[in-house]
Amino acid sequence: MGSMAIKATSAPPITSYGTPPHRAPFLSSQFLNPRICSSLKLKRAVGFSFGRGGGFNWRAKMKQVVGMVVSNKMQKSVVVAVDRLFYHKLYNRYVKRTSKFMAHDENNQCNIGDRVKLDPSRPLSKRKHWVVAEILRKARIYEPPSQANQIVSDKTQVSAPSTT
């Protein structure tokens, strides 16, 4: 009967680096994210260089941030809440998000409510990658009157009515 013709299929196009497109997953944006892609092979393929001579520095992306101290119960460490606003396209509004960072406070100078500027640093512990650069505004702390001041003020109040 009829002869079965074999269709000739062309090979996938070869890209400049010699790999078919379906075999090149590192062109996707998810592989450029250091938290998702930990493979050195893929990072090298994308063009990141490693070593002491410079190259791509992941920490260089971290910028200075300004936030409010929410906890100082640790020694030489504080927790800083950093607020950021972003525009939500669906809600057509600005939305506020808060991130909490642990930061190194060498001299234990920060109190709760202080406004501080944080600088990025090398990892100092599991969760601590920031250093307190400067205290922008100190918090006003309420100090109740001490016991000695109350006794002196009570004596002056008692003696004042007796003189009239």
Side-chain angles (χ1 to χ4, degrees), residues 36-108:
I36 296 173
C37 173
S38 61
S39 170
L40 293 176
K41 189 174 182 182
L42 291 176
K43 288 179 184 174
R44 281 196 180 102
V46 173
F48 298 130
S49 62
F50 298 88
R52 293 184 174 268
F56 191 79
N57 184 7
W58 297 108
R59 293 263 166 226
K61 284 188 169 185
M62 294 172 61
K63 300 176 181 176
Q64 284 186 333
V65 292
V66 176
M68 190 79 65
V69 176
V70 293
S71 173
N72 64 346
K73 293 183 178 180
M74 299 163 281
Q75 297 174 4
K76 296 188 176 185
S77 297
V78 291
V79 178
V80 179
V82 176
D83 292 333
R84 61 187 169 85
L85 287 174
F86 67 95
Y87 187 75
H88 199 288
K89 292 179 182 176
L90 184 63
Y91 296 156
N92 202 20
R93 302 258 190 289
Y94 281 97
V95 182
K96 182 169 85 168
R97 290 282 185 260
T98 303
S99 301
K100 289 204 267 186
F101 299 119
M102 286 185 64
H104 184 68
D105 180 22
E106 182 64 36
N107 300 322
N108 287 325

Side-chain angles (χ1 to χ4, degrees), residues 144-155:
S146 65
Q147 198 70 340
N149 291 342
Q150 280 186 336
I151 294 172
V152 171
S153 63
D154 289 343
K155 288 182 181 178

Side-chain angles (χ1 to χ4, degrees), residues 123-154:
L124 300 170
S125 68
K126 181 179 178 181
R127 293 183 54 219
K128 204 159 71 165
H129 304 138
W130 299 90
V131 174
V132 175
E134 63 177 310
I135 300 174
L136 301 174
R137 189 180 72 224
K138 296 290 280 183
R140 293 190 295 169
I141 301 172
Y142 172 73
E143 295 179 8
S146 65
Q147 198 70 340
N149 291 342
Q150 280 186 336
I151 294 172
V152 171
S153 63
D154 289 343

